[in-house]
Amino acid sequence: IGYAVFDADGTLIDSLGVWRAADDVYLASKGKRMTDEIYRAFMKMTYGESITFVKDHFSLPDSEERISADIMRIVTEKYATEVRAMPGVIPLLDRLAERGIPMAVATANEKELVTAALSSNGMLGYFRYVVTCDELGTSKRTADVYVHAARLLGGEPEETLVVEDDFSYVEMAAAAGFHAVHISEIGGIELE
């Protein structure tokens, strides 16, 4: 392995609860309450769909743009101040850095959010690039974001490690020729 590409949310940073917390804070400010049932429905929606749903379901007078901006303000603050590194990931980053392995982040999230969380946890310096699906006009349903990140580093899939928290993305990256592992496996990664 000559290169490494990491997912961000749920892999490098423990941020998955931030969105629910931000929705809770936002809705409470409007005198509304998020339920587990509604949140489960959100998990199947795109961000834009969830904003439309919130506006319609809670009969909010604000525009979708305003609702989105208000929620993103809360999320941005939480990413910069509350999101922490995933357990065990910093020792792996240290081991890779000690071996001179160039690293990048490939994420479907917003670059500003990810870089804020990485920075506040002292991890941003490990990475040469933070690549987002939006920048490439793609999604994580293809390996494009991993391939692009690997090539920015100077590598090809067959010489690049991909670390992910979603098993379907691990399988997809492996099918594209990467050495792909699930975040739960990082303790078992052997480096030569």
Side-chain angles (χ1 to χ4, degrees):
I1 294 171
Y3 307 89
V5 176
F6 287 80
D7 169 54
D9 296 278
T11 301
L12 292 170
I13 51 176
D14 189 5
S15 56
L16 300 180
V18 166
W19 292 93
R20 169 67 188 261
D23 291 338
D24 287 342
V25 169
Y26 173 76
L27 288 171
S29 76
K30 302 296 181 184
K32 310 291 184 182
R33 191 176 74 78
M34 173 70 72
T35 65
D36 290 341
E37 182 181 358
I38 292 170
Y39 191 71
R40 281 192 297 276
F42 275 12
M43 304 279 57
K44 297 176 182 157
M45 297 179 196
T46 66
Y47 178 71
E49 291 168 343
S50 69
I51 295 299
T52 300
F53 179 86
V54 164
K55 177 175 176 47
D56 294 343
H57 182 79
F58 292 104
S59 301
L60 298 175
D62 293 334
S63 68
E64 289 182 18
E65 293 77 16
R66 176 60 189 254
I67 293 167
S68 178
D70 289 348
I71 291 172
M72 285 305 291
R73 192 169 25 263
I74 297 165
V75 168
T76 300
E77 173 67 20
K78 288 184 176 297
Y79 263 77
T81 62
E82 296 178 20
V83 170
R84 296 292 165 247
M86 289 295 288
V89 77
I90 291 179
L92 174 60
L93 296 176
D94 284 338
R95 288 175 27 215
L96 292 169
E98 287 167 4
R99 288 162 177 79
I101 295 177
M103 294 179 271
V105 176
T107 182
N109 201 346
E110 298 289 323
K111 183 178 277 189
E112 296 78 20
L113 297 177
V114 170
T115 56
L118 293 174
S119 181
S120 71
N121 283 282
M123 295 192 299
L124 189 57
Y126 288 103
F127 302 101
R128 293 187 183 176
Y129 304 98
V130 176
V131 180
T132 70
C133 291
D134 282 349
E135 291 172 329
L136 301 177
T138 188
S139 73
K140 280 198 166 178
R141 288 187 282 273
T142 71
D144 293 349
V145 71
Y146 307 115
V147 171
H148 184 75
R151 289 186 176 152
L152 280 173
L153 293 170
E156 292 295 327
E158 58 274 5
E159 55 190 346
T160 304
L161 171 69
V162 168
V163 182
E164 260 286 356
D165 69 318
D166 185 306
F167 280 113
S168 65
Y169 297 148
V170 170
E171 291 172 348
M172 187 249 322
F178 289 95
H179 300 274
V181 297
H182 188 264
I183 187 67
S184 65
E185 301 171 295
I186 65 170
I189 294 175
E190 294 297 325
L191 300 174
E192 298 174 6

